[in-house]
Amino acid sequence: MDPTDLIGPTSPLGYPAPYWFIVFFKTLGFALHTLPMNLWYAGLILAVVLHVLGGEHARRWAARLLNQMPIIIALGVNLGIVPLLFTQVAYYRVFYPATILMAWPWFSIFGLLTLAYYGVYIYVTALRRERLSFLRRVVGWVAALVFIAIGFLFANNFSLMTHLEAWPGLWQGTNAAGAVTGGALNTGDPTLWPRWLMMFGLALTTTAAYTVVDAAFFAGRESEAYRHWAPGFALKLYTLGLIWFALSGTWYVFGTWRPEVRALMLGGPLVILTALTALAPGLPWLLILAQRQGVTRRLALFTGLAQFGVLALNAISRQIVQNAELSRFLDVTAEPVNLQLSPLVVFLALFVIGLGIVAWMVRQVVIAERQPA
């Protein structure tokens, strides 16, 4: 079977906006979503571990992150709507067939996310009341593992979107009388595992960068000893994430990319983007190193901005690779455009207002931390 036979038909409505507009907000939205998402992807499991096994300052760090986690998850989930929306708009011809093939695992994300969110609330509420029983600890551990499982399911879907050559086999292996049962997973894709592991490595680096930002801006009521400890811990964690990212990224690029994709990304002008994507984590690491004796707000701010740059570069590179992988089967940039101006204006207005509200909320927290306890 030709995998192109399973690609969705072209919509007669066309794109509601130019492709550049769609892909810009898809990439920007993903970078914004990745910031808080990384904190529950790697930070949550690290926090529940250190809250049991860590020293005094490590347990305090874990308690701080856990107390902030309900808001972090809410921000991440809402910011995740933007890239998911634009993925459905521009990549509907491959997104929907991929989700149909793995319909039940994909649909299970709604239930898993709800359970994990409630689990975090149960753990944090017990933590604040100092009633953290064994059962509630188990709930927190399960919630952390569920978030990692959700990341694995997302990696399955978004890698399956471009792994069209696997579609016929997945359909033949999971159909009933020709009807798709929706029980497939993309575990046979060689790009899945390094991509999933690479994202976890990035999540470790983001958690480390956030540790410095938190110590500088949100930990005004913590002891001087804690704020002196935090950058050293962040440096160790970022180093671990950097090594993890480098190893899995090397596996991903040189072990799974097709020759034409590797030639595209490692040749011509795109080699500069590839090099920046690979080397960018070094800048936040150096900024954290400069604060190992004590955080400063200016350097902490630069650390946070630099880490966002790391995530943005990865999002841009991944977008180019995604299009290159799909180019064998379809050209997503060739869809006709039927401009729908009023929804775009509403979206832009709400997007700017939403980010403004988030910035205002963060500012209020910073101001509150300057006040005496």
Side-chain angles (χ1 to χ4, degrees), residues 35 38-50 57-58 61-62 65 69 197-214 226 229-246 281-282 284-286 288-289 292 303 307:
L35 271 175
N38 280 349
L39 297 180
W40 77 63
Y41 191 43
L44 183 56
I45 186 68
L46 186 62
V48 295
V49 170
L50 290 181
H57 295 314
W61 173 87
L65 185 60
M69 196 56 66
L197 292 171
M198 188 169 63
M199 183 58 71
F200 193 84
L202 277 177
L204 289 172
T205 64
T206 302
T207 304
Y210 180 75
T211 298
V212 171
V213 173
D214 176 68
Y226 172 82
W229 169 88
F233 169 74
L235 183 63
K236 295 174 185 176
L237 183 59
Y238 205 103
T239 302
L240 172 63
L242 194 62
I243 295 172
W244 190 309
F245 172 72
W285 184 86
L286 289 173
I288 295 173
L289 178 65
R292 65 188 183 279
T303 302
Q307 184 63 24

Side-chain angles (χ1 to χ4, degrees), residues 146-171:
V146 167
F147 274 120
I148 294 176
I150 290 172
F152 180 71
L153 293 178
F154 267 97
N156 261 269
N157 190 21
F158 286 101
S159 61
L160 186 57
M161 277 175 51
T162 59
H163 194 207
L164 272 69
E165 57 270 25
W167 288 9
L170 291 175
W171 171 76

Side-chain angles (χ1 to χ4, degrees), residues 26-44:
K26 175 180 180 289
T27 306
L28 174 62
F30 182 72
L32 290 170
H33 162 68
T34 305
L35 271 175
M37 181 270 287
N38 280 349
L39 297 180
W40 77 63
Y41 191 43
L44 183 56

Side-chain angles (χ1 to χ4, degrees), residues 77-147:
V77 170
N78 282 277
L79 287 170
I81 294 172
V82 176
L84 186 58
L85 168 67
F86 285 105
T87 297
Q88 294 171 352
V89 171
Y91 295 84
Y92 65 95
R93 297 184 65 190
V94 291
F95 174 80
Y96 289 111
T99 54
I100 290 170
L101 285 169
M102 55 172 293
W104 288 111
W106 181 252
F107 187 71
S108 71
I109 290 174
F110 295 100
L112 292 173
L113 179 60
T114 302
L115 290 175
Y117 205 177
Y118 273 107
V120 168
Y121 266 103
I122 291 171
Y123 190 97
V124 171
T125 301
L127 178 65
R128 291 174 180 175
R129 295 178 178 177
E130 298 182 354
R131 297 178 182 177
L132 201 55
S133 64
F134 173 77
L135 181 60
R136 289 185 173 89
R137 287 186 185 275
V138 171
V139 169
W141 279 78
V142 170
L145 294 174
V146 167
F147 274 120

Side-chain angles (χ1 to χ4, degrees), residues 298-343:
R298 176 175 295 182
L299 287 179
L301 177 61
F302 288 154
T303 302
L305 292 174
Q307 184 63 24
F308 179 74
V310 170
L311 301 178
L313 284 169
N314 274 272
I316 294 169
S317 294
R318 177 55 205 157
Q319 183 58 63
I320 295 173
V321 170
Q322 184 180 65
N323 285 359
E325 290 170 335
L326 284 173
S327 63
R328 295 176 295 161
F329 306 103
L330 79 159
D331 182 2
V332 293
T333 67
E335 294 278 335
V337 177
N338 180 19
L339 187 62
Q340 299 180 30
L341 192 58
S342 56

